[in-house]
Amino acid sequence: MRKWYAVIGDPIEHSMSPLMHNAWMTQENRDASYIPIHVLPENLEQSVASLKTLGCSGWNITIPHKEKIIPYLDELDESARKMGAVNTVVRQQDGSYKGYNTDGLGFVRSLEEVIGNGHRHKHVLIIGAGGAARGIAFALVATGYTHITITNRTVSKAKAICDELDVEAIALSLNEAEEQLNQFDILIQTTSAGLNHSDFALPFSMNRLASTAIVADIVYNPLMTPFLNEAKKKGATVITGLGMFIHQGALAYSYWTGTYPEAEVVKDLLLEQLGGNLLHVNR
Ligand code: ATR
């Protein structure tokens, strides 16, 4: 029987997940499709029950349901339990539904797609201490990264994540991080700085950034955030958020189907889509 997958969120019309997953399914000749479903917060419980009743094979979850969906699932993977958030649900053989979180590992895959796996002993600075930063910090440690520093406007939130990691991590204020910036090899920007319509463009000054640094942003619209533009001016290697988006999806796809799809197959499609969005936003 034809399988079907979905993404639920509010809003949902701008999600690029259907384009990406359908492209992979078509490329692999799978008898399956992936649809966007608009789910309002007050309808979440009923919607999850309906997806289960109708036999959905798996779905992704986007804003604002990633945390609230947890009580309605049958089981949680460790990745989702540690983060307290789910972005992927998988229908298991017995018909029960298990929640995963592929955001953190998706980021690490996209990072290592560019820099390889030879940098795991280098000094990493994570900027921000929200849900995304938490997922990335756990995934970096799970992958073997040993030197983690987290900086955040609210330092106590950075400290809380550091305390939960299995390596000795350091929490810094934004001012401290700015002063010590030249000591970091890899910077990962996870705050909402640089997002369309956000009220602040840079978390701190990039004056002390080393030209040898590798600088990643998790925001992918715009692709080149103000943070990445500054880093590029300093000569750093920059990594946009598009790779993380693709690999969080690729991991979800691999949990559903057993195959890890090719990132290259969807890159141009997504870039085209983003170009359209950017024109729209700029107008
Ligand atoms: P996500 O789940 O996407 O990580 P979040 O949990 O809302 O989103 O986290 C947003 C991050 O952006 C936090 O680190 C936040 O800092 P605080 O913990 O101090 O709130 C950071 N952030 C948001 N607006 C900011 C601003 N104007 N200046 C500095 N940091 C900001």
Side-chain angles (χ1 to χ4, degrees):
M1 202 168 73
R2 189 173 178 81
K3 291 194 169 170
W4 63 284
Y5 300 86
V7 55
I8 63 169
D10 174 36
I12 199 62
E13 65 264 34
H14 296 303
S15 170
M16 297 196 298
S17 291
L19 183 71
M20 178 164 74
H21 284 281
N22 283 316
W24 281 326
M25 286 166 185
T26 303
Q27 195 227 1
E28 294 184 356
N29 278 323
R30 288 186 186 274
D31 189 17
S33 53
Y34 183 109
I35 54 169
I37 303 179
H38 186 198
V39 173
L40 294 171
E42 60 268 32
N43 295 332
L44 180 62
E45 181 173 8
Q46 207 183 355
S47 301
V48 172
S50 303
L51 287 164
K52 288 178 170 183
T53 308
L54 296 173
C56 184
S57 294
W59 67 88
N60 289 127
I61 299 114
T62 183
I63 291 168
H65 306 311
K66 287 186 182 188
E67 288 100 21
K68 303 242 166 56
I69 196 170
I70 289 178
Y72 311 130
L73 299 174
D74 303 310
E75 212 183 317
L76 276 193
D77 174 70
E78 200 187 320
S79 60
R81 196 158 0 94
K82 276 189 172 159
M83 283 185 64
V86 169
N87 78 335
T88 301
V89 173
V90 180
R91 183 176 201 262
Q92 305 185 100
Q93 291 228 311
D94 63 0
S96 65
Y97 286 86
K98 183 167 176 177
Y100 294 80
N101 199 309
T102 66
D103 285 333
L105 197 52
F107 174 81
V108 177
R109 294 260 174 133
S110 89
L111 175 74
E112 294 200 340
E113 184 179 57
V114 180
I115 69 171
N117 60 10
H119 298 259
R120 293 178 179 173
H121 59 288
K122 300 250 175 98
H123 285 89
V124 179
L125 177 68
I126 299 174
I127 303 144
R134 167 176 290 268
I136 288 170
F138 278 117
L140 284 169
V141 172
T143 309
Y145 285 79
T146 46
H147 292 81
I148 311 278
T149 300
I150 305 177
T151 181
N152 195 40
R153 177 178 58 180
T154 315
V155 188
S156 58
K157 282 170 69 182
K159 177 94 177 55
I161 301 177
C162 287
D163 288 346
E164 283 181 59
L165 296 175
D166 288 336
V167 295
E168 258 188 55
I170 299 165
L172 294 181
S173 68
L174 292 175
N175 280 343
E176 288 168 332
E178 185 180 301
E179 283 184 0
Q180 301 172 27
L181 211 54
N182 58 1
Q183 294 173 23
F184 296 100
D185 306 300
I186 301 173
L187 274 75
I188 306 165
Q189 201 301 112
T190 75
T191 73
S192 29
L195 263 179
N196 287 327
H197 314 301
S198 84
D199 57 347
F200 75 118
L202 286 181
F204 48 56
S205 148
M206 303 280 272
N207 281 342
R208 294 206 168 91
L209 183 74
S211 63
T212 50
I214 294 151
V215 179
D217 203 316
I218 68 164
V219 170
Y220 61 84
N221 191 4
L223 268 183
M224 283 300 288
T225 60
F227 188 74
L228 291 185
N229 275 321
E230 277 302 304
K232 202 167 174 198
K233 276 191 215 152
K234 297 275 172 195
T237 301
V238 299
I239 302 177
T240 74
L242 190 62
M244 174 181 178
F245 175 70
I246 294 173
H247 283 281
Q248 62 74 34
L251 280 162
Y253 187 95
S254 73
Y255 295 165
W256 295 328
T257 65
T259 40
Y260 200 90
E262 285 170 45
E264 281 307 317
V265 171
V266 294
K267 220 167 246 172
D268 286 347
L269 272 179
L270 296 175
L271 281 172
E272 213 174 286
Q273 182 89 350
L274 277 172
N277 278 346
L278 288 179
L279 277 180
H280 181 71
V281 167
N282 290 341
R283 236 179 259 144

